[in-house]
Amino acid sequence: MKKNSFTILDENGKEKVYDVLFTFSSEETNHDYIVYTDNSLDEEGNVQVFASIYHKNEEHSKLEPIETDKEWKIIDTILKTIQEELQDKN
């Protein structure tokens, strides 16, 4: 992983670059998370954002899926808070 981006090979072996939006650790779940984007847009014109579990102390950490509603709630709350803060600045 480079400083603010990383590359993943997709199912066809093609490299895809993602920009890291932020990372955080949760004491509640005892996991480290990475939130990132490929800057593509969804059907509604919003930038698509992804999140995964990662191991911050490993140089080539494998991204793991987030599988619980509890974890998604934590990530969703953080994203909403950041979005509100950005809106307040504008």
Side-chain angles (χ1 to χ4, degrees):
M1 184 166 81
K2 294 180 184 176
K3 186 174 181 181
N4 292 317
S5 65
F6 61 94
T7 303
I8 294 179
L9 294 178
D10 68 12
E11 59 276 354
N12 299 319
K14 184 177 178 184
E15 288 187 351
K16 191 159 190 175
V17 177
Y18 293 88
D19 292 326
V20 177
L21 299 174
F22 60 91
T23 61
F24 70 97
S25 299
S26 171
E27 290 181 12
E28 191 174 347
T29 63
N30 201 31
H31 284 120
D32 297 310
Y33 299 92
I34 183 168
V35 180
Y36 53 98
T37 183
D38 62 359
N39 295 302
S40 63
L41 302 178
D42 64 15
E43 302 82 35
E44 298 173 3
N46 298 311
V47 174
Q48 293 194 75
V49 174
F50 310 97
S52 298
I53 296 169
Y54 83 113
H55 305 280
K56 67 180 180 181
N57 295 325
E58 294 179 13
E59 185 175 341
H60 298 287
S61 177
K62 179 179 178 184
L63 299 180
E64 298 177 19
I66 297 168
E67 297 177 338
T68 68
D69 289 338
K70 180 180 183 177
E71 290 175 297
W72 279 118
K73 256 186 183 172
I74 292 168
I75 293 166
D76 189 48
T77 299
I78 292 172
L79 284 169
K80 285 180 181 177
T81 301
I82 291 171
Q83 189 174 29
E84 288 171 3
E85 289 174 359
L86 289 173
Q87 287 175 347
D88 288 346
K89 287 183 180 181
N90 294 329

